[in-house]
Amino acid sequence: MPVHPVEPQAVPEIRTARRGRRKLVLLLCAVALVIVATVVLAVVRSQPSASTSVPVPTVAASPVAQAPDSLRDNVESILEEAGDYRIGLALADVSGDAALAFGDSDVFAAASTAKIITAAAYYHLVETGEASLDEPLGDYDAAFQMEAMVNQSNNDSWLLLMDAVGYPRLIDYAASIGVTYDPEQNLLTPADMALVLKQLYAGDLLNEDNTAELLSYMQDTNNDDLIPAGSRAGIDVHHKYGEIGGELHDAALLTYRGSTFALVIYTENPEGTEEPEQADAIRDLTQAVEDALFPLTPAGK
């Protein structure tokens, strides 16, 4: 088959055409690379960088007790008027860590306010399967004794439930919730009791059903003449009073418009006898606290 040689004059034209095609291919490749690079850069920019922290929306902390200066002034004025009576007051917002203390912060003979610790300890054993509200205690079952101990402040019921828990386990339980407590001495500070109430209401001690049941026993009690009597209408009060010798106490949860505070007021007459002025002081202090924390809103605002 004959071979037809390329004419010499045609070679430059062929080379020129080939160079043109190469340039076109290179141009198209460059365009493609630019497109790919643009897409990759957009994707990279849309992802968080490993070395850059991405702002995360934070949930505002729960409100804590922010009492005005007037509260301290009013409380201290009441304490001064109390004369020789020993009085300690603790106040804590159940939704925060803030706590306020006034007067004597040392231990008092807690009297029947400590029944809340015994109640919580027994309910805890029920929840762990080590006890039952249906089991016999004395002439009745544990459920009956629980209500009698808290709502009616029955001391026989208290002894039965403390024996059922056992003193060593009661001490250990108190320690587990941050309170130093020996049932044989029955000593607590107002701040200790405020901590117990705060944890109870927040649901940190018991399940929902047992929390609700225990709180229900702390209303319409056999003695509502202390914090409940000093509280104004519209404020929900759950409390446990205590009295023995010269000791007169009340420990309460005050709820108003979604805010709940633990208020504990312990009073002691050094003479060893309970005096009417102690109850007056508890009611006056309750009013001072409520006026500061739950101020009345003028009509139309």
Side-chain angles (χ1 to χ4, degrees):
M1 182 175 181
V3 177
H4 301 284
V6 178
E7 292 182 357
Q9 65 272 18
V11 171
E13 296 177 358
I14 293 172
R15 288 176 177 171
T16 300
R18 287 175 178 173
R19 284 197 295 270
R21 285 195 295 271
R22 289 194 190 100
K23 289 180 179 179
L24 180 61
V25 171
L26 290 173
L27 179 61
L28 291 174
C29 289
V31 171
L33 287 173
V34 170
I35 293 173
V36 170
T38 302
V39 172
V40 170
L41 181 60
V43 172
V44 169
R45 285 179 175 176
S46 68
Q47 301 296 322
S49 171
S51 60
T52 305
S53 60
V54 179
V56 178
T58 57
V59 178
S62 299
V64 296
Q66 295 294 334
D69 293 338
S70 60
L71 173 61
R72 183 169 295 278
D73 294 339
N74 291 339
V75 168
E76 289 180 351
S77 175
I78 295 170
L79 295 180
E80 288 176 3
E81 292 177 2
D84 294 333
Y85 297 129
R86 180 171 167 245
I87 301 177
L89 184 153
L91 178 68
D93 185 342
V94 300
S95 63
D97 294 331
L100 297 173
F102 304 91
D104 198 322
S105 60
D106 203 353
V107 295
F108 287 73
S112 291
T113 61
K115 289 173 181 175
I116 298 302
I117 296 177
T118 299
Y122 190 86
Y123 273 122
H124 177 70
L125 293 180
V126 171
E127 292 179 9
T128 59
E130 299 174 73
S132 169
L133 290 170
D134 296 327
E135 67 183 65
L137 278 184
D139 295 332
Y140 304 95
D141 60 16
F144 177 93
Q145 303 294 2
M146 182 73 73
E147 182 174 3
M149 176 183 71
V150 178
N151 188 260
Q152 299 299 309
S153 205
N154 187 289
N155 287 330
D156 291 335
S157 299
W158 188 16
L159 290 172
L160 288 169
L161 286 163
M162 280 197 295
D163 287 342
V165 174
Y167 281 25
R169 282 198 297 188
L170 191 52
I171 293 171
D172 291 343
Y173 176 77
S176 75
I177 62 174
V179 175
T180 300
Y181 177 68
D182 184 338
E184 292 186 342
Q185 297 180 349
N186 198 30
L187 299 176
L188 290 171
T189 68
D192 288 336
M193 196 63 228
L195 177 61
V196 173
L197 292 179
K198 174 180 171 178
Q199 292 180 88
L200 171 64
Y201 192 87
D204 296 334
L205 302 185
L206 307 171
N207 66 33
E208 185 176 351
D209 290 341
N210 290 332
T211 298
E213 185 170 81
L214 179 50
L215 288 174
S216 73
Y217 297 155
M218 296 169 65
Q219 288 187 307
D220 302 319
T221 73
N222 66 317
N223 184 350
D224 284 344
D225 293 334
L226 301 173
I227 287 179
S231 182
R232 70 170 182 257
I235 296 178
D236 198 19
V237 180
H238 300 82
H239 79 115
K240 183 69 198 81
Y241 77 94
E243 55 184 333
I244 182 173
E247 311 283 337
L248 183 65
H249 314 321
D250 211 352
L253 290 158
L254 306 175
T255 301
Y256 182 68
R257 294 184 176 179
S259 296
T260 301
F261 290 82
L263 171 63
V264 178
I265 306 172
Y266 281 178
T267 73
E268 176 187 320
N269 178 11
E271 299 297 325
T273 58
E274 181 185 316
E275 297 292 342
E277 289 79 9
Q278 290 170 261
D280 291 339
I282 291 175
R283 290 189 286 266
D284 290 344
L285 288 168
T286 299
Q287 291 174 5
V289 167
E290 290 186 352
D291 289 345
L293 299 181
F294 309 132
L296 291 172
T297 302
K301 292 188 179 181

